[in-house]
Amino acid sequence: MRTVRTIGPGGAVMAATSLAGTEQAGTPAARPGAARPGARRRLAFPWRGAVAAVALAVAAAGVTACGGGTETNGLEKASPAEVGTRSVEALRDAGSVRVLGTVQDPSSDGTTTYDLVMAGSSARGTVTSGQIVAELVKVDDDTFTKGSREYYESIGEGDAAELLADQWVRLSTEAAAQYRFFSIEGFVQALGEYVAALDGEVTTEEVGGRRAVAAGSPGGTRLWAANTGEPVPLRVDMLDGEEGRMEFSDYDAAVSITAPTSSVDLSSLS
């Protein structure tokens, strides 16, 4: 028997986000632990009907391409373990993705929020840890951050914090290690740990207007994966170990992630 529920967009997990130029990333030392409406005006021209027909055809093609059609990908018939496996593999195959997340470590009172756009091994975004906000650009093995004096003090660079504040800084290998999971493969590895224990009933639901299946684990983790198109993860709630939520959207959008044009090399200051 299938259980049908409706879940809203899951919205504001971020304190302040802006993906137009900078997005939010994770805490220093944080480890990752969701159809835009448009208005159309009637055209008072003789060819209005033809224009409408073309527009409808294009819209239908777009829906199909985004996995929003009515045919399922069969995930509703899969076991919980298969739901987890297929969703992780679909994430690995994605060209790009946006991730909104919030993570709280049970051993501390701190909460980290991040808003990332990732493509391959590169990422850009913003990380908010408490009141400290830092911009992040990760291009392959090079990681750049820009934050306040308090941010650089929080990652152990207090002696140079005044010099580094509000400038793009190319992090040393040691300092960059805390952001090593901020890539598609990094999230694949982190997500794989959480979905490994999925068990019980697979339900059919709706997440942010998209058809999905959901599966949970005894520890409290819950995964929602797309039930049309590629079975990509749409949302993960984590209650086992680190607590929080990750929401995935904008799969395969055109993304350009480049290093800042100028930066201070942290290694040269050591």
Side-chain angles (χ1 to χ4, degrees):
M1 180 177 67
R2 297 191 308 175
T3 303
V4 180
R5 292 179 286 179
T6 299
I7 299 179
V13 296
M14 308 307 301
T17 65
S18 174
L19 282 175
T22 56
E23 286 79 31
Q24 307 218 21
T27 69
R31 183 176 149 180
R36 296 187 176 87
R40 188 168 58 192
R41 181 181 300 173
R42 290 189 63 183
L43 302 177
F45 297 103
W47 53 85
R48 182 177 64 205
V51 170
V54 171
L56 287 172
V58 171
V63 167
T64 301
C66 295
T70 57
E71 289 191 15
T72 76
N73 51 26
L75 210 59
E76 74 280 4
K77 300 176 183 178
S79 67
E82 186 180 355
V83 169
T85 300
R86 288 182 60 186
S87 65
V88 168
E89 287 305 311
L91 175 60
R92 174 177 277 126
D93 293 339
S96 66
V97 64
R98 180 185 181 185
V99 183
L100 301 176
T102 180
V103 178
Q104 181 171 358
D105 188 334
S107 64
S108 70
D109 295 329
T111 297
T112 298
T113 57
Y114 49 86
D115 185 345
L116 293 173
V117 168
M118 300 181 297
S121 59
S122 299
R124 57 179 169 84
T126 322
V127 186
T128 303
S129 181
Q131 298 299 313
I132 299 175
V133 180
E135 298 176 51
L136 171 83
V137 173
K138 183 177 179 293
V139 181
D140 297 326
D141 294 328
D142 288 330
T143 301
F144 304 83
T145 58
K146 183 167 70 171
S148 64
R149 182 185 63 188
E150 291 76 16
Y151 164 72
Y152 289 106
E153 290 174 343
S154 75
I155 65 170
E157 299 298 335
D159 292 343
E162 197 67 43
L163 171 64
L164 302 177
D166 302 318
Q167 296 194 66
W168 281 108
V169 176
R170 181 178 180 270
L171 299 182
S172 64
T173 301
E174 295 75 16
Q178 59 201 329
Y179 300 113
R180 66 190 181 279
F181 286 98
F182 289 163
S183 66
I184 288 181
E185 183 59 33
F187 269 77
V188 164
Q189 294 178 19
L191 191 59
E193 294 182 13
Y194 283 102
V195 304
L198 293 180
D199 197 5
E201 184 182 12
V202 174
T203 61
T204 303
E205 304 186 1
E206 189 174 290
V207 176
R210 186 167 181 179
R211 184 168 178 170
V213 300
S217 74
T221 294
R222 193 162 180 80
L223 165 71
W224 290 263
N227 197 199
T228 58
E230 294 299 319
V232 291
L234 301 178
R235 178 183 297 165
V236 179
D237 280 350
M238 304 162 292
L239 295 176
D240 190 5
E242 290 180 327
E243 298 182 5
R245 166 173 287 187
M246 294 185 286
E247 298 195 77
F248 301 80
S249 64
D250 297 344
Y251 279 99
D252 296 321
V255 171
S256 175
I257 301 175
T258 58
T261 55
S262 62
S263 63
V264 177
D265 193 331
L266 188 59
S267 299
S268 68
L269 302 179
S270 302

